[in-house]
Amino acid sequence: MATTVTMDTLRELAGFRAVKSCAISLYLDLDPQTTINPGDIRARVNSLLDAGGRGGAFDSQALAHDEKRALKDDLERIRSFFNSDFDRDGARAFALFCSGLDNLWRPLPLAYPVTDDVRLSRELYLAPLVPCLGRGEGALVAVIGRERGELYRLRAGRLEEVVDQAEETPGQHDQGGWSQANYQRHIDELVVQHLKRVLEQIDRRVRRDPSLRLVIVANESVKSEIESRLSAEAQRAVVGWTSADAHADGPALLGAVQPLLDEARAREEREALDRWREEAGRDGRATAGWEQTLEAASDGRVELLLVDDAANHEAFQCPACGRGQIVNGNCPLDGTRMEPRPDGVDLAVHQTLAHGGAVRVTETSDDLGSAEGIGALLRY
C-alpha cells in the first residue's frame, strides 16, 4: 500500500541529518507501462546504484574509512531488499532512504510518479516528494442517500471506507394498517434520523481536523436536506458535490470525486499565487527569485514556499549551519566556506520545512516564470 505523503512526513524527513555517515536517497518510477516485472525493477536499481557509485552522486573521496565501509554495506542492503523483499503492492513509485550507521531505513511506496534518481548527502533529498502534496490525500468522501451513509478517506490514491451508516428504509410491503400520510411521515422521519447520524460522523471528523477537504456524493432528492443540516464547519470543508451510481464502489467513487479534488487544488494554487503576486507587487511580505527566497528560507521567514515544477538553480550551503545562498563564498553567519549544491530547490525545501514553513509546487500557472520559477510568502 502506498504511503500518504503529508507536510508532516516531509518535516520529519527534513529533520534528519546523518552524523556518522551519509544517507542514500533513492527514487524509482514504477509506471506499469515501463516497469513490467521484478527483473526490470532490480535491473534499474542496480543501474542507479552503479552509476551513483561511479559518479559524482556517490563521490566517496571525502568519506572516512568507516563511512566508506558503511556506504558499501548500505548499497548491498538496498540491492538485497529489491532482490528479495520488495513488494510494489500497487504503488506507482518508490522512495527509499538509508543510512546504516545513523539507524535510518525508510521505505516509502508512493501513489504518484517520480523520476528515477539517487543521491548521497548528509541530508535526505526531498524535492521529488513535494509534488505528491495537495492531491486530495486525506480528503473525506461522504456517500449519502436515503439509505446509504458511507464515509471514505483518500489515502495513497485509494478510497478506504471508515464508516458505514447504511440503513434499510421500510418498503411498501411494510405499511400494514397505516394510512398513507402517516406511513410517509414515518418514512421521512427515519430518513431524517439516518441523515442526522451520518452528518454527526462528518462533523466529528471536521471538528477534529478543520483543514479537512470534504466531497459529498448525493443525488438531488436528498441534497437540499443535507445542505440544510450541515454544520458551519462542515460547510466550510466542502470542496464539491457530485453524484454516482447507487452501488458505486471505491474505484468508481474515486473517479467521480477526483476531478473535484483537482479543481480544489487548482483553486488553492491560484489563491496562493494571487496573494504572492499582490504582496510582491507592493514589496510586501513576499520574495521573488532565488537570491531573496533562499535568504528568507535560511532566516526562517518563509510561510509558504512556491516553486515551479521545473525550477532549479545551483546553490551553496554552509556545512556548519545549513544556510543557503546562490553565490559562493563564506557563510555570512559563521565564516565557514560554503559547499556547492546542484539542487537549489531541495535546499530551499529543506530550509523552509526546518523552520516550520510549508511548500507548494505550482503546476497550473506560469506566474513564477518572471521570478526564476521560485518565490515565497513570508511571515514577516
Side-chain angles (χ1 to χ4, degrees), residues 357-369:
V359 184
R360 176 182 289 276
V361 170
T362 62
E363 298 178 337
T364 63
S365 171
D366 62 354
D367 284 31
L368 294 172

Side-chain angles (χ1 to χ4, degrees), residues 137-153:
E137 289 296 301
L140 184 66
V141 177
V143 184
I144 309 176
R146 292 174 64 87
E147 298 181 2
R148 195 170 182 181
E150 299 152 15
L151 301 186
Y152 296 83
R153 292 298 293 267

Side-chain angles (χ1 to χ4, degrees), residues 213-217 239-243 254-267:
R213 293 172 175 171
L214 171 62
V215 175
I216 298 180
V217 181
V239 297
W241 293 73
T242 188
S243 59
L254 182 59
V257 304
Q258 190 63 62
L260 298 176
L261 294 172
D262 292 342
E263 290 172 10
R265 183 172 185 266
R267 283 197 304 270

Side-chain angles (χ1 to χ4, degrees), residues 7 11 300-305 349 351-359 379:
M7 201 67 71
R11 289 196 179 100
R301 294 188 290 126
V302 171
E303 172 191 331
L304 177 63
L305 177 69
V349 167
Q351 290 297 307
T352 298
L353 295 171
H355 292 95
V359 184
R379 298 188 178 101

Side-chain angles (χ1 to χ4, degrees), residues 73-93:
D73 291 343
D74 287 343
L75 294 174
E76 289 305 313
R77 183 181 182 184
I78 293 172
R79 286 191 172 95
S80 177
F81 170 76
F82 281 100
N83 283 336
S84 58
D85 299 325
F86 175 69
D87 182 2
R88 64 192 297 172
D89 190 25
R92 294 189 61 189

